[in-house]
Amino acid sequence: MTLLSNWETLVRLLVAAVLGSLIGFERERLLWAAGIRTHMLICVGACLFMIVSAFGFADSLSAQHVVLDPSRVAAQVVSGIGFLGAGAILARGEIVRGLTTAASIWTVAAIGLAVGGGLYFAAGLSTTIILAILAGVKPLEEAYRDRSQTCRLVIKTARGALTPENLKGALKVRNVRSSDF
């Protein structure tokens, strides 16, 4: 196994930074906490882990009686990234937020691993698909919700006679979002 040249290492890390920034920018424009810098750092970090995993143990592997599986380092990125993703998920009562951000963090790590492994086409194509999902599917999702999961209910009552908690109980629903109360 040959080592990467400094030039190839630089190219891989920069490509990872660019691809991570594209997805991070999409999250940033929606004002999510995990934005450009977070996605870039995750992608570059995963890329570096893959480079180290694939090429960092070449000397050790050539020694006698040494049995190592360098791919285990890259495999641990997948587990480790789960902790960052979990940190992006917020649960407030029965409303969960941050799942898409957690998923974008996870996929950016996969892109970094692909770039670190020299799979530029797979990384670029994945970035394109992920951007299409994040930016293109959201309007469809919102249109569906507006059409099928929204209703208008006007209740007129004496001032102070109805509270949000009473409304939930009367309607027998768990998640009531009111635009005006």
Side-chain angles (χ1 to χ4, degrees), residues 90-161:
L90 301 172
R92 292 186 186 139
E94 295 180 20
I95 298 173
V96 177
R97 295 199 172 276
L99 289 175
T100 303
T101 299
S104 72
I105 286 170
W106 185 69
T107 56
V108 163
I111 290 168
L113 290 173
V115 173
L119 303 172
Y120 298 112
F121 179 75
L125 185 59
S126 296
T127 300
T128 303
I129 292 169
I130 291 164
L131 285 171
I133 291 168
L134 289 172
V137 174
K138 187 168 184 75
L140 298 173
E141 194 176 40
E142 288 172 350
Y144 171 77
R145 279 193 194 127
D146 287 345
R147 189 172 42 90
S148 66
Q149 297 178 357
T150 303
C151 69
R152 180 180 168 100
L153 174 65
V154 178
I155 301 173
K156 293 189 180 195
T157 183
R159 183 172 294 278

Side-chain angles (χ1 to χ4, degrees), residues 17-102:
V18 168
L19 295 178
S21 73
L22 294 173
I23 294 171
F25 177 75
E26 195 285 328
R27 305 309 292 157
E28 187 86 32
R29 78 179 177 85
L30 297 174
L31 303 175
W32 295 112
I36 296 171
R37 292 183 306 154
T38 303
H39 284 78
M40 288 176 78
L41 287 169
I42 291 168
C43 202
V44 170
C47 179
L48 181 58
F49 275 121
M50 183 56 128
I51 291 169
V52 169
S53 177
F55 303 101
F57 302 105
D59 293 342
S60 299
L61 288 172
S62 62
Q64 272 189 338
H65 308 294
V66 173
V67 179
L68 295 174
D69 182 6
S71 66
R72 291 182 64 188
V73 174
Q76 296 309 310
V77 170
V78 176
S79 300
I81 232 39
F83 287 104
L84 287 176
I89 299 171
L90 301 172
R92 292 186 186 139
E94 295 180 20
I95 298 173
V96 177
R97 295 199 172 276
L99 289 175
T100 303
T101 299

